[in-house]
């Protein structure tokens, strides 16, 4: 009936809520820097993990120097999700760290708007390849310095100089075990993506 039409009654129909924007983010870095830990700490869903135990077959392949306590490794990806606001959801893809799995990074990077490169200051060289990967592809990234055992012996500026990073690349001290710390790193990345898009 005409009387049931909201426009006839002088009222407007309720707005249909729009779906939040979904943004793909990579969590990358060297072997054993804390990528799986970060995805698990910040994800609001039970994360998908593709971890397998380290075996004696990999002793001559995987460099465990400094991470001798490591017992498992990601062989494909880690996946998690975090809702930053009603308008924004991040889908997190953790990359495998060992060199023999780097061929997967190109596929994982498809559609990614940005990345977090995790650094272990005990072995900073393990994440050089990740930094180079994103720089070559002009994918915006921030550097998260994972403080193992809660320790941060170097300042962000000292780490920036050691990694020869430009001043425009944010370097943040973080703890991959702490949800709030990981969320702060992701928020900084989103700020960078917004700033980058406004300059284009």
């Amino acid at each position: 009936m005409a009387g049931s039409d909201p426009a006839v009654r002088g009222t407007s129909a309720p707005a249909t809520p729009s779906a939040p924007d979904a943004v793909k983010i990579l969590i990358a870095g060297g072997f054993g820097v804390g990528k799986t830990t970060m995805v698990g700490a910040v994800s609001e869903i039970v994360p998908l993990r593709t971890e397998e135990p380290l075996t004696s077959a990999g002793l001559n392949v995987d460099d465990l120097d400094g991470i001798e306590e490591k017992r498992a490794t990601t062989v494909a990806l880690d996946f998690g999700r975090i809702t930053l606001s009603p308008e924004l959801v991040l889908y997190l893809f953790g990359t495998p760290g060992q060199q023999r799995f780097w061929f997967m990074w190109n596929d994982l990077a498809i559609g990614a708007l940005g990345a977090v490169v995790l650094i272990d200051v005990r072995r900073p060289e393990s994440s050089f390849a990740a930094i180079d990967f994103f720089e070559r592809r002009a994918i915006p990234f921030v550097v998260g310095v994972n403080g193992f055992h809660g320790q941060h012996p170097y300042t962000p500026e000292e780490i920036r100089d050691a990694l020869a990073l430009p001043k425009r690349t944010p370097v943040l001290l973080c703890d991959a075990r702490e949800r709030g710390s990981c969320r702060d790193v992701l928020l900084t990345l989103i700020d960078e993506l917004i700033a980058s898009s406004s300059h284009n």
Side-chain angles (χ1 to χ4, degrees):
M1 292 194 312
S4 62
D5 188 337
V8 173
R9 297 197 308 270
T11 59
S12 58
T16 303
S18 59
D21 289 331
V23 176
K24 180 179 181 180
I25 299 297
L26 297 188
I27 311 297
F31 181 42
V33 297
K35 301 179 297 295
T36 297
T37 301
M38 181 176 188
V39 173
V42 78
S43 178
E44 64 196 18
I45 62 173
V46 177
L48 168 68
R49 291 175 172 160
T50 58
E51 283 195 310
E52 294 293 338
L54 290 171
T55 64
S56 58
L59 288 179
N60 296 323
V61 180
D62 300 323
D63 182 9
L64 295 177
D65 187 32
I67 50 171
E68 292 82 3
E69 72 282 1
K70 191 169 176 60
R71 296 292 177 264
T73 185
T74 299
V75 296
L77 59 90
D78 300 307
F79 173 77
R81 183 189 73 200
I82 177 173
T83 301
L84 292 182
S85 73
E87 295 79 30
L88 182 61
V89 175
L90 304 187
Y91 290 98
L92 309 175
F93 290 77
T95 65
Q98 298 111 304
Q99 187 171 354
R100 66 181 185 273
F101 296 128
W102 286 355
F103 69 92
M104 299 182 62
W105 287 28
N106 285 320
D107 290 337
L108 289 173
I110 295 173
L113 294 189
V116 174
V117 176
L118 278 184
I119 300 289
D120 177 354
V121 293
R122 302 171 302 176
R123 303 174 299 116
E125 69 285 351
S126 68
S127 292
F128 286 167
I131 292 172
D132 184 63
F133 180 88
F134 295 115
E135 286 182 338
R136 287 178 179 271
R137 288 158 182 78
I139 297 175
F141 67 94
V142 300
V143 171
V145 184
N146 187 17
F148 282 80
H149 310 297
Q151 298 178 354
H152 286 290
Y154 306 105
T155 67
E157 285 307 314
E158 288 174 324
I159 293 165
R160 181 193 309 282
D161 291 343
L163 299 176
L165 291 169
K167 288 194 175 297
R168 68 177 181 273
T169 302
V171 177
L172 304 102
L173 304 181
C174 68
D175 187 332
R177 303 167 299 178
E178 297 291 335
R179 176 180 173 84
S181 180
C182 297
R183 188 173 185 272
D184 288 345
V185 172
L186 293 170
L187 286 170
T188 299
L189 175 60
I190 294 302
D191 289 341
E192 287 300 303
L193 295 179
I194 292 172
S196 176
S197 65
S198 66
H199 293 153
N200 295 332

